[in-house]
Amino acid sequence: MLGGYFEYYFGYIWILVPGLILGFWAQMKVKSTYAKYSRVENKRGITGAQTAKYILEGYGIDIPVERIGGTLTDHYDPSSRVLRLSSGVYDGTDVAALGVAAHEVGHAIQHNRGYAPLSIRNGFYPLCAIGDQFGPYLVLIGIMIGGAGSFSYYIMMAGIILFAFAVFFSLVTLPVEFDASNRAIKILDKGGFLDQEELDGAKKVLSAAALTYVAAAVSAILTLLRLLMLAQRRRD
């Protein structure tokens, strides 16, 4: 009988395929683009960390810039107000490093200026994390309860509502990331950090990175749609 429950749960699995394909392609795109432009040195010879510090100082933002391990693990932590750059970006003097560093500084500028989508995303993050982790499990519990009664359906709908917050998080992340990249390119251009040819490379790196967020949003929407279809099937 347990096998029947899982067979039911994996129904409509085909609807997730486009998101999986898009996600795989986006990951390959960002890795190849980053690898390409991590071999192109900027003519000024400055590092990602120096770039980040120069920009932060220019905007009057006094936060530390720290080195962390990993690759493409760069992020701005709004809770502790710290900018963390992976070793390759922190010490890198390549076009990719400067683009990524400036992008993360863009998030710090957003936070400093009260950029609304970032504030909304940060405020809803705890609930979104809970929805992403537990929403699908509630749907599975509703399936395992069995029967076509309203109780199992309501359990499933509770899980779907929770997961909807995760979808919301993915969607509100898009303007946050796009805006940070736009800020980064403008700053790198106006500040003279990169010449036009180098700037084109930085744009390609950040555009490729943006695809991963688009893929995540598409996958989240498709997952939500599938869960709704499962719930409808339970109600029927």
Side-chain angles (χ1 to χ4, degrees):
M1 183 175 293
L2 185 62
Y5 293 144
F6 279 96
E7 182 180 354
Y8 183 101
Y9 182 74
F10 286 108
Y12 306 113
I13 198 74
W14 52 266
I15 202 171
L16 304 180
V17 173
L20 293 173
I21 294 174
L22 180 59
F24 177 77
W25 179 76
Q27 287 294 332
M28 294 298 292
K29 181 71 173 178
V30 71
K31 288 180 180 179
S32 62
T33 306
Y34 180 81
K36 177 180 179 180
Y37 289 100
S38 64
R39 295 190 294 268
V40 180
E41 298 294 314
N42 75 83
K43 293 182 176 62
R44 292 184 59 182
I46 58 176
T47 67
Q50 290 173 326
T51 300
K53 292 173 183 178
Y54 288 151
I55 298 172
L56 289 169
E57 183 179 353
Y59 277 82
I61 302 175
D62 184 18
I63 61 173
V65 179
E66 300 178 350
R67 182 192 286 104
I68 58 171
T71 302
L72 294 178
T73 51
D74 316 271
H75 65 278
Y76 168 68
D77 184 349
S79 59
S80 56
R81 292 184 61 80
V82 175
L83 189 71
R84 299 188 175 98
L85 302 177
S86 60
S87 296
V89 171
Y90 191 98
D91 299 311
T93 57
D94 51 87
V95 169
L98 268 63
V100 172
H103 173 89
E104 299 307 331
V105 174
H107 288 311
I109 296 172
Q110 290 173 338
H111 190 194
N112 181 261
R113 296 191 170 184
Y115 180 62
L118 179 66
S119 300
I120 294 172
R121 188 181 74 167
N122 292 343
F124 276 88
Y125 175 74
L127 184 58
C128 295
I130 292 172
D132 185 46
Q133 184 173 1
F134 295 106
Y137 286 109
L138 281 178
V139 174
L140 178 58
I141 290 172
I143 292 172
M144 295 182 69
I145 289 174
S150 59
F151 182 68
S152 64
Y153 173 74
Y154 289 145
I155 291 292
M156 294 177 72
M157 287 306 300
I160 289 170
I161 291 171
L162 274 177
F163 188 75
F165 284 103
V167 176
F168 172 77
F169 183 84
S170 294
L171 292 175
V172 77
T173 291
L174 295 179
V176 172
E177 296 299 329
F178 291 152
D179 178 78
S181 290
N182 289 335
R183 290 176 190 265
I185 295 302
K186 290 178 181 178
I187 291 170
L188 291 173
D189 184 18
K190 292 182 179 180
F193 294 94
L194 299 175
D195 63 25
Q196 191 56 53
E197 183 178 357
E198 295 168 339
L199 196 66
D200 289 341
K203 287 180 181 179
K204 291 177 181 178
V205 170
L206 296 183
S207 295
L211 286 175
T212 62
Y213 295 101
V214 173
V218 170
S219 294
I221 292 171
L222 292 177
T223 299
L224 179 62
L225 178 59
R226 175 176 170 267
L227 294 179
L228 286 168
M229 292 170 69
L230 288 173
Q232 182 64 40
R233 180 177 171 184
R234 167 63 73 212
R235 186 172 69 174
D236 295 341

